[in-house]
Amino acid sequence: MISLSPTNLLADVPGVLADAATPTLDRGRLSPIESPFSDELDEAARKQKQARESAEQLIASAFILPVLEEVRNSPFKTEMFSGGRAEEVFGQQLDVIFAERITQSAGFGLSEALIRQFDQSPAPGSQEPKVDLRG
């Protein structure tokens, strides 16, 4: 019969019962990996984040917010689900927050499509091929 003690069980788990012979990782001495491309990667990540935020703001204000305002001003609303005076005063601010959260949600793909469309467009000031419409 094999007897299992708690110290024998935990001895196989790394980092639980560290003895003097087991090397430990000192996280205070770790430094980030320097790369010649790190500045370019940081700039690209910043531009991508800025593009995503701009696309989300555009979609929230142009598409989602008008729909939420129409729903709030619907002739079919009832007093049963009314928020009262507070909804009248702060309803527009709540619509703005809802519109931003809807566009930031993972399942809302319109912002990604807009970002892809903007990435494919030529840069301002670049030469586009000219089409002669006169023949």
Side-chain angles (χ1 to χ4, degrees), residues 12-27:
D12 293 336
V13 179
V16 173
L17 291 177
D19 56 346
T22 306
T24 59
L25 181 62
D26 184 14
R27 295 190 187 276

Side-chain angles (χ1 to χ4, degrees), residues 13-86:
V13 179
V16 173
L17 291 177
D19 56 346
T22 306
T24 59
L25 181 62
D26 184 14
R27 295 190 187 276
R29 295 190 302 184
L30 293 177
S31 61
I33 298 173
E34 293 296 324
S35 169
F37 302 111
S38 63
D39 292 337
E40 293 172 6
L41 291 174
D42 291 342
E43 180 68 20
R46 187 188 63 78
K47 285 183 179 180
Q48 185 177 14
K49 181 181 176 187
Q50 184 179 13
R52 176 169 304 285
E53 289 173 356
S54 298
E56 288 173 353
Q57 287 176 353
L58 175 68
I59 292 169
S61 64
F63 296 113
I64 306 300
L65 192 58
V67 171
L68 292 176
E69 288 175 353
E70 278 299 313
V71 169
R72 186 170 302 280
N73 298 327
S74 172
F76 302 110
K77 66 180 180 180
T78 65
E79 291 296 320
M80 181 184 299
F81 298 109
S82 174
R85 179 75 178 134

